[in-house]
Amino acid sequence: MERIAIYPGSFDPVTNGHVDIVERGRNLFDRIIVTILCNPGKQALFSIEERMEMLRTSMQAIPGVEVAAFDGLLVDYALQRGAGAILRGMRAVSDFEYEFQMALMNRKLNREVQTVFLMTGLRWIFTSSSIIKEAARFGGNIDDMVPAVVSERLREKLGPDSGASPLGADGPLAT
């Protein structure tokens, strides 16, 4: 029987840390469905279509990976897709409480679907989509933290004058 995992997230944008989790997750699962969560409560920089395109490009060298989007309960989606696991990456202890609560809720909703945590590689432990966007907004070089397509799309989206960025000035790197 094929071992399928759902790797959910906003991926706004995808980072090399996300790619690392998928590459290592493929050692555990036959197929991984990288799935964008459609969350109307979050203000995204990139549209779902843009994120799907960046994910497909970023994951194209990894066999057994599919890119999708969904809204609704994650465990329902996992069962609909024949997945027995939800794959999650954790960077630090600060991620643990939230991820643990989500895993327990998913288990309460459906005991058939397991949550599997992978620790992010040390190289990517400090990266997050939010911090990447903030660094890019202020002209920081993020080329070695994201796939090339993401770096290119961030430059297109933010433009040469990062002061006119749609991201706002209240992020973690603002001074």
Side-chain angles (χ1 to χ4, degrees):
M1 189 164 146
E2 189 178 36
R3 295 167 301 164
I4 303 169
I6 303 290
Y7 180 36
S10 61
F11 304 107
D12 186 40
V14 61
T15 69
N16 287 341
H18 294 128
V19 175
D20 176 62
I21 293 292
V22 172
E23 288 173 336
R24 291 187 299 120
R26 279 289 286 120
N27 292 324
L28 302 171
F29 299 99
D30 301 313
R31 189 159 50 109
I32 295 177
I33 305 169
V34 180
T35 307
I36 297 170
L37 304 171
C38 302
N39 184 347
K42 276 190 170 181
Q43 180 67 20
L45 177 62
F46 293 100
S47 71
I48 289 174
E49 294 77 21
E50 289 171 314
R51 288 181 272 165
M52 288 183 74
E53 184 266 326
M54 287 187 287
L55 277 166
R56 283 188 187 109
T57 301
S58 302
M59 305 288 175
Q60 70 186 0
I62 309 169
V65 175
E66 177 186 337
V67 174
F70 90 102
D71 59 2
L73 284 177
L74 182 55
V75 291
D76 290 346
Y77 180 73
L79 288 175
Q80 180 184 30
R81 297 304 310 268
I86 296 166
L87 179 63
R88 298 296 295 159
M90 284 204 280
R91 292 173 300 226
V93 174
S94 57
D95 289 342
F96 180 77
E97 185 173 353
Y98 173 78
E99 293 294 344
F100 186 62
Q101 289 175 345
M102 291 302 297
L104 289 175
M105 176 56 85
N106 287 332
R107 185 158 171 78
K108 172 75 173 154
L109 293 171
N110 190 318
R111 296 178 82 64
E112 303 287 315
V113 179
Q114 302 300 315
T115 300
V116 175
F117 297 106
L118 288 180
M119 295 307 298
T120 301
L122 283 176
R123 184 174 182 191
W124 313 118
I125 204 157
F126 64 92
T127 62
S128 72
S129 295
S130 299
I131 289 174
I132 296 291
K133 288 185 288 192
E134 193 73 16
R137 178 185 182 278
F138 289 106
N141 183 347
I142 46 92
D143 291 345
D144 63 343
M145 295 178 265
V146 295
V149 66
V150 173
S151 187
E152 180 182 313
R153 294 299 187 288
L154 279 168
R155 277 192 279 280
E156 289 171 6
K157 186 75 75 169
L158 300 177
D161 180 14
S162 61
S165 165
L167 290 177
D170 58 349
L173 300 180
T175 56

